[in-house]
């Protein structure tokens, strides 16, 4: 049995543990993929998720927003250029 207080989320295919009942924000997802990222950065990223919760299994995460995590949710992060 795994730890019931965390779930495994995937960012660009890499597993990360995340608190089970906590949402994850755009900035938090980007920082998992780009540790040097800061919200003040001139680079913007496109963040998409799949395998999310039943009522919203996929979508796009925008700056300032967050999404409810579930075990196995997958995020893709791609650089979109200057903001």
């Amino acid at each position: 049995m795994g730890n019931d207080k965390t779930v495994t989320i995937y960012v660009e295919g890499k597993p990360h543990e995340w608190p089970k009942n906590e949402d994850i924000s755009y900035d938090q997802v980007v920082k998992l993929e780009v540790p040097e990222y800061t919200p003040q950065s001139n680079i913007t990223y496109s963040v998409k998720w799949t395998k999310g919760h039943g009522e919203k299994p996929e979508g796009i995460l925008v700056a300032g927003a967050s999404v409810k995590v579930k075990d196995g949710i997958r995020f893709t992060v791609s650089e979109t250029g200057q903001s």
Side-chain angles (χ1 to χ4, degrees):
M1 285 286 189
N3 183 341
D4 63 358
K5 292 182 173 41
T6 63
V7 293
T8 303
I9 65 171
Y10 295 88
V11 180
E12 291 298 325
K14 292 188 223 98
H16 299 274
E17 293 297 308
W18 197 258
K20 185 175 187 173
N21 294 314
E22 273 189 32
D23 290 356
I24 191 166
S25 72
Y26 168 91
D27 288 343
Q28 291 169 318
V29 173
V30 174
K31 275 195 88 65
L32 288 173
E33 177 61 20
V34 186
E36 64 276 8
Y37 168 78
T38 65
Q40 296 76 29
S41 170
N42 287 332
I43 300 168
T44 56
Y45 295 88
S46 169
V47 178
K48 297 177 183 170
W49 83 85
T50 58
K51 300 187 190 256
H53 279 275
E55 70 275 4
K56 195 145 190 196
E58 58 186 51
I60 296 170
L61 191 56
V62 296
S66 61
V67 65
K68 189 169 184 60
V69 300
K70 76 171 233 188
D71 196 46
I73 192 170
R74 296 183 176 274
F75 294 93
T76 57
V77 178
S78 51
E79 193 175 313
T80 58
Q82 304 243 327
S83 55

